[in-house]
Amino acid sequence: MPSGIDFLSQGINGIVLGLLFSLIAIGFTLMLGVIGIINFAHGVLFALGAYFAFTLRNSLGFWAALIISPLLVGLIGIIIERLAVRRMYGKDALFCLLLTFGIAMSGEELIRMVWGKLGHSIAAPAFVSGSIDLGFMLYSKYRLLLAVLSALILFLVWLFLEKTSYGAIVKAGAQDSEMVAALGNNISRMRTLVFGIGSALAGVAGVIAAPLWSVRPGMGNDAIMPAFVIVVLGGIGSFWGTVIGGLAVGLSVSLAVMFFPRMSDLVMYILAAVVLLFWPRGIMGEKSILED
Amino acid sequence: METKDDKGISRRAFLKRSAAGLTILTVSGVPTLLRAQQPSIKIGAVIPLSGNYGFLGASERCGIGLAIDEFNSKGGLLGRKVEVAEEDCATDAALAIRKAQRLLQSEKVNFFLNGGGSSVSAAMADFAKKEGAVDMCIDPNSDILTGEKANRFFFQVPPVNYQIAHTIAPYVAQNIGKKWYYFTHDYSWGWTLTESCRKFMKEKGAQEVGESKIPLNTRDFSSFLLKVRGAKPEVVMVNVAGADFTAMVEQMYEFGLHKTAKIVIPLEDFEDAWAVGPEKNSIFTLMGVEWHYAIPGVPGINEFVARYKKLFPRASYPVPTTNSYNAYMGLRELLRAVERAGTLDAPKVIKALEGHAVKDSLKRDPTLIREWDHQFVQDFYYFRPKKKKDMKDWTDIYEYVGYGKGTDNAITKNLSQARMEKLPGE
Amino acid sequence: MRRFLKLPFVWMFLFFLVLPYLLPLIKGYTALASEILIYAMFALGFNLLLSYTGLASFGHAAFFGIGAYAMALTQLKLSDDLWLGLLMGMVAAGFFAGIVGAIICRKRGIYFSLLTLAFSQMFFFIAFRWDEVTGGETGLTGLRRPPLRLPGLPAVSLTEPMAFYLFALAVFMVVMILIWRLVHSPFGSVLQSIKQNEVRAKYLGYNTVFYKWVSFTISGIISGLAGAMFLLQQDAVFPTYLNWTESGNVVMVTIMGGGVVNFFGPILGAGIFVILQNAIGAYTEHWLLILGLIFIAIIMVIPEGILGLFKRTKTVQQ
C-alpha cells in the first residue's frame, strides 16, 4: 500500500505535470474559444517550438531560446492564419479542421526533412541540472523551474484576458463577433492576433517540455491529444476550465501510477468520459455558440 | 532453369497472377526476350523511415546498400544485377502489409527484407507464409518471431529476448547486484524480455523487489521514477525501447536514479545511446548490444567498417550500427543462399539457408541459421560506458566487457514454440 | 425517369469491372482495386452522416476498426463463416455507434466533432492496450479469407485477389444502392431537413435527436462492414485502424471527392486517395508531406471537392 510520503510526492509531481499540460492546452483552447476552430496543427507548432529551441540553445542559451522560439512559432502561426486559415472563416468549421489536419501532416514531415528523423536530447540549463533533495524525496530541479514558468505564463495569459482592454474585446469576440465588429473593432486583426498568440503558447510549451521529453519529429502527437482531452474536460474556451482540466489530467496520470500503472495513459480518457456524463459541457463549460 | 527463375516468387504466386489474367503474357509469352535482357533480381525492403522507429531505417538502408554493392561490384548474382525497391512502413503493421502487397504485385520483387519492430514483423511473417515469399526480418527481438510466428519463409536475423536475457541476467546477478527492479515496456517485446530475465535471475539466486509496466508512447516517467525509490533496488533493469527509451534516459538522469541503484540495459541500440549523448549514457552500469564496430578479436570487422565509411561518407552515423549490421547480414546471407541454390525458387533458397553456418559473421563465433526455428544463432555482447578521457569521438562511448555464445544461450528445441510446416513438394 | 436514375449504377458497375485491368497502367494491382472499393464503402457510410444529416464525425475510424476486430474475433473464437463474420462486424460497430450516438447526438457542430474524436481515442486505447483480446500493439494477424458460401451453390474460394475483388464489388454495389435508397426515402428527407434547420424540423414534429441517432448508428454499421471487409483484404487487424489520423483521412476523402454536393463524391475521393497513397509512397519517402499539401490545396482551392467543381462549371456555363 502506498504511504503518505508516496501520496505527497506523486501529488506534487502531478501538479507540476498538470501545469505543463495546462500550458500545452491553453493556446488550443484560446483558438477554439475565440475563433471557433479546432487547430490540429497545434501539435506541430508545439514541436516547432521545441525544435527552434534545440537549434537556438547552443548559440544563445536557454533564456533567449525561451523568448525567441515562441516568437518565431507565433510568426509562423500568423503566416498560416493570413495565408490559409482566414479563408475558412464563415464556412463550416469542418473545413478549418481539415485544413489544419493537412498542415499537421505536412508539417511533421517538414520537421523530419529539416532536422532529420532522429530524436535529440536537450539538456536542462546547467543551474537546474540533476536533482534536489526535498527531505522526503529527491526531485528534479528542472521540473520545479518548469512549474514556476508554466504558472507564470498561465498567469500572464489570464492578465491579458481579464485585465487589458484588448483581452476584453477578445473575450467579447468569442461571444458575438458581429457585435464587436459593429462597435468598430477590427475583428480580422483580432483573429490573426489570437491565432498568433495561440501558436506562440504552443511554441513556449514545446520549449519548456523539450528538456523533459526530448525532441523528435512525431512529438506533436504528445501534445495534441492531451490538449483535446483537457478542453473536453474543462469546457470549451474557458481559461479556468483549461487550468483545472490540465491539473486533473496531471494528477490522475501521476496517481494512477501508484494504483494502476498500466492504465496511466488511458486514465485521462476515462476521466473525460466520466466528467462528460455529469457535466456534458465540461467542468467549467457554458452554453456556447459552437454547439449550433 | 531461366524460365523457372522468371516466374519470380513461386509457383503459387505465378498461378495467382495468371489466374488474374494480368501478367500471363510477360511471364510465359516472351521468355526468350527476358532471358536476353536478364532482368535484375529485386529485393523488396519494407523498412521504417518514419514513425516510432523511423530512425532505424536510415541505418538499415546503409546495411542493405553494403550487401547489394558487394554482389553488384563482382558482376551481380546468377549473372543478374541485384536491385532494391524500398518502402516506408512508418512503423505501422497495416501499412507495411499494404506496401508489401504493392511491392509483390506491382514491382514483382523476388524476396523481402523487413524492419520496423515486432508488430510489423509478426504481420510480415504471416504475409511471407501466405504469399510464399522469403522474408528476412532485420530489427526486432521478439520471441514470437521464432516461436508461434515461425514459418519456413521467414528468417529472424537478430537474436531474440530469451537469448539476450540468458546472456545478461546471470552476469548481472553474479557481478552487479541481487535485488532487482524491472521497468517493462508494456507490450509483447517488453513482457517476454522481463519474463526471461526473471527466469534466469531466480536461477542465480537474485530477488525481484518490484516492477513497473511502462505503457507504449509514455513521455513522462517522473511518477514511475518516484515509485521505484520506495522499493530500494540494487539493480534497475530497463526493458524499454525506441523513442520512449530516449526520453526515459533523460529523466533517469534528471531524477538521479543512478545515485541510488545500478542501471542495466539488457538491449541497447547505438542510435538511442548517441541521441542522449555520453554524459547521460554514463549513468549505466552495463548494457547488452547485438554488435559493435569494435569488438576485439574479430577478423574482417575493420575492413567492414572501412567499406561502410567509403560507401557512405555522408551517412547519419560515421560507423555502422547494430541495425546496419543486421540488414547487411540478412541480405548478404539471402543472396549467398540464392547463389548456392543457383535459382530464385523460394523452396530451394530456403533449403540453402536452413542449417547454414556463416563463418565470416563479423562476430567472434560463426553464426548458425537454425533449421527448426529460422533463428540466426549468434554471439551477444555486453559493454559498459567508457571513461571520458578514453573516448576518441562521439560514437566511441562504450567498451567491451564480455560476451555469451549463441549456441549456449539461445532457446532449446524442447522449450521453443516453433512448429515448422512442410514446403510444397516436401 | 426511373431508368435514368439507375443509369449511374450500371456505368459504375461496368467501370469497376474493368478497373483491375486499368490499374496496372499506373503501377496499381488488383488488391489496390479492392482497397478502393472498401474505402469507398466506408466513405459512403460516413457521408450519410456528414452530408445528409449535417454531423461531422471525427472518430469514424473507431467503427471501422471495431468492425474489423469483431470479424477477426468471430473467426478466431466462434466460427470462420464469412457471413457470420461480416454480420458480427456490423453488429458490433452498430452496437458501439448506438451507445456513443445516444450520448452525443444532442450536440452539434464542432462540439460534436470534438466528442466523436474523444470517444474514438478511447476505443483506440482499448484496442491498443487490451492485449488478451485485441492482441494489443501487435494486433491480430494470420487470419484467413473464408470461402464464399451461397445456398444451393458450391463454396467459392476468395483467396485469389480477383475473386475477392468481385466479391467486394458485389458487396459495394449492394451497400451503395441501399444508401442511395435511404437518402432518397422519406427518412432521408427528414435527415436533410434536420441538416438545413434542426429547429424547424423539431417544430414540424420530428424527434430530431432520434433521427440523428439512427443516422449515426447506420453510418457506424456501414463503417463496421467496411472494416470487416478490410480485414478480409489484409488478413490482419491492428489498432492503427482506429487511429485519429484514419478518422481524418475518411473526412478528407469524402470532402475531396465532393461528397458534400454529390452522392458519388466519396467514391471518387476514395479512388484518388488510395491511388495517390500508393503512387506517392513509391516515388518519395516524404509522401506524408505531399499528401498533406494536396489536402491543403483541395480545401483551399476546391472546398466543394472535385465533383463540386464540375457542378460549378456547369452552372457557370448555363
Side-chain angles (χ1 to χ4, degrees), chain B residues 16 61 102 130 149, chain C residues 141 160 234-235 278 285:
Chain B
K16 208 171 274 178
R61 208 184 241 168
R102 194 193 79 79
K130 189 176 84 179
K149 290 287 172 195
Chain C
T141 55
E160 301 300 335
Q234 296 237 307
D235 294 335
N278 179 56
E285 62 173 284

Side-chain angles (χ1 to χ4, degrees), chain A residues 151-238:
Chain A
L152 185 71
I153 295 163
L154 287 170
F155 177 65
L156 288 176
V157 173
W158 179 82
L159 271 187
F160 168 75
L161 286 176
E162 297 296 328
K163 301 291 168 195
T164 65
S165 55
Y166 212 84
I169 297 170
V170 166
K171 272 172 50 185
Q175 301 303 321
D176 190 346
S177 54
E178 279 167 26
M179 174 76 100
V180 173
L183 290 173
N185 294 294
N186 187 337
I187 208 83
S188 151
R189 201 187 303 153
M190 184 203 82
R191 282 172 167 162
T192 310
L193 180 81
V194 169
F195 203 96
I197 292 177
S199 306
L201 285 170
V204 78
V207 179
I208 292 180
L212 294 185
W213 298 350
S214 65
V215 298
R216 62 198 174 85
M219 69 185 293
N221 291 332
D222 304 337
I224 188 87
M225 280 305 145
F228 270 110
V229 171
I230 289 164
V231 167
V232 169
L233 260 178
I236 286 177
S238 159

Side-chain angles (χ1 to χ4, degrees), chain B residues 405-420:
Chain B
K405 284 181 202 279
T407 39
D408 297 340
N409 297 329
I411 196 164
T412 50
K413 195 168 182 178
N414 55 338
L415 291 174
S416 168
Q417 289 190 21
R419 299 287 173 269
M420 288 293 187

Side-chain angles (χ1 to χ4, degrees), chain C residues 155-167:
Chain C
V156 183
S157 162
L158 295 179
T159 45
E160 301 300 335
M162 196 59 190
F164 180 70
Y165 176 76
L166 292 174
F167 174 65

Side-chain angles (χ1 to χ4, degrees), chain B residues 81-395:
Chain B
K81 246 184 84 189
V82 185
E83 216 179 88
V84 66
E86 189 185 273
E87 280 278 12
D88 178 14
C89 72
T91 325
D92 173 350
L95 190 65
I97 297 191
R98 285 157 77 182
K99 298 288 185 178
Q101 261 170 1
R102 194 193 79 79
L103 287 171
L104 190 60
Q105 297 197 18
S106 175
E107 301 281 341
K108 313 254 183 300
V109 299
N110 304 91
F111 302 102
F112 281 99
L113 197 71
N114 92 272
S118 50
S119 84
V120 168
S121 303
M124 283 298 293
D126 286 328
F127 175 84
K129 184 178 177 188
K130 189 176 84 179
E131 300 291 344
V134 177
D135 176 38
M136 310 298 286
C137 168
I138 56 172
D139 66 34
N141 309 82
S142 199
D143 294 284
I144 56 165
L145 299 172
T146 51
E148 53 195 275
K149 290 287 172 195
N151 68 69
R152 293 296 285 279
F153 293 90
F154 182 80
F155 290 84
Q156 167 68 17
V157 180
V160 296
N161 283 339
Y162 183 94
Q163 183 199 338
I164 293 167
H166 200 173
T167 314
I168 293 287
Y171 181 88
V172 174
Q174 276 163 354
N175 301 296
I176 298 180
K178 297 274 188 200
K179 283 166 75 186
W180 292 16
Y181 192 97
Y182 290 100
F183 281 121
T184 308
H185 225 172
D186 199 359
Y187 70 109
S188 59
W189 172 81
W191 302 334
T192 51
L193 186 49
T194 294
E195 201 178 296
S196 297
C197 283
R198 201 172 266 151
K199 172 182 149 100
F200 297 113
M201 164 195 87
K202 278 185 195 139
E203 281 177 11
K204 293 288 169 195
Q207 169 205 357
E208 179 176 346
V209 293
E211 179 187 16
S212 280
K213 290 208 169 91
I214 308 281
L216 268 170
N217 301 329
T218 298
R219 276 300 138 255
D220 204 284
F221 297 84
S222 49
S223 323
F224 293 104
L225 292 169
L226 289 173
K227 195 180 165 190
V228 66
R229 283 227 187 75
K232 300 202 173 23
E234 290 169 14
V235 176
V236 176
M237 298 288 271
V238 183
N239 298 338
V240 178
D244 294 9
F245 175 72
T246 332
M248 190 171 179
V249 175
E250 306 271 348
Q251 294 170 41
M252 287 193 283
Y253 178 81
E254 187 191 334
F255 278 79
L257 183 64
H258 53 294
K259 290 173 192 158
T260 51
K262 298 222 159 68
I263 304 172
V264 174
I265 318 291
L267 180 65
E268 189 173 32
D269 275 322
F270 300 119
E271 287 88 344
D272 291 336
W274 292 332
V276 293
E279 170 74 22
K280 287 171 188 167
N281 265 299
S282 68
I283 66 174
F284 304 140
T285 304
L286 191 80
M287 62 279 282
V289 293
E290 293 171 35
W291 185 82
H292 186 270
Y293 63 93
I295 308 166
V298 173
I301 205 164
N302 291 334
E303 290 78 0
F304 178 70
V305 176
R307 225 153 48 80
Y308 175 93
K309 286 185 174 169
K310 197 172 149 227
L311 207 55
F312 306 107
R314 288 143 61 85
S316 325
Y317 306 111
V319 286
T321 67
T322 296
N323 295 296
S324 8
Y325 167 83
N326 282 334
Y328 167 76
M329 199 45 72
L331 184 51
R332 188 190 80 183
E333 286 313 310
L334 171 70
L335 296 176
R336 282 185 181 177
V338 171
E339 202 165 37
R340 284 197 299 277
T343 167
L344 300 182
D345 187 43
K348 293 203 174 107
V349 174
I350 291 170
K351 282 190 190 122
L353 277 164
E354 285 174 340
H356 181 69
V358 186
K359 293 206 178 64
D360 50 347
S361 65
L362 302 176
K363 294 199 171 188
R364 295 186 80 125
D365 300 305
T367 291
L368 173 72
I369 305 172
R370 211 153 57 173
E371 212 171 342
W372 53 267
D373 67 350
H374 284 196
Q375 161 80 64
F376 277 50
V377 178
Q378 58 200 300
D379 298 343
F380 188 77
Y381 298 86
Y382 32 97
F383 277 64
R384 67 171 172 239
K386 237 180 189 173
K387 298 229 164 44
K388 209 157 194 175
K389 59 177 173 42
D390 300 333
M391 294 180 190
K392 286 201 262 318
D393 54 52
W394 61 270
T395 59

Side-chain angles (χ1 to χ4, degrees), chain A residues 36 40 83-84 93-95 97-98 101 106 109 113 117 221 225 228 236 262 265 269 276 280-281 291, chain C residues 50 56 58 108 110-111 114-115 117 121-122 125 129 131 244-245 248 255 285-286 288-289 292 299-300 303:
Chain A
F40 262 111
L83 287 182
L94 182 69
F95 289 112
L97 190 147
L98 286 174
F101 183 71
S106 31
E109 194 58 38
M113 288 165 77
K117 296 180 209 311
N221 291 332
M225 280 305 145
F228 270 110
I236 286 177
R262 295 194 58 192
D265 56 344
Y269 294 98
L276 281 179
R281 291 195 181 91
E291 288 177 41
Chain C
L50 177 70
F58 218 87
R108 284 183 66 88
I110 214 159
Y111 210 65
L114 211 57
L115 290 179
L117 177 68
Q121 273 301 102
M122 229 177 299
F125 270 102
R129 302 296 309 283
D131 299 270
W244 62 273
T245 49
I255 299 278
E285 62 173 284
H286 303 300
L288 267 177
L289 174 73
I299 290 296
M300 305 254 321

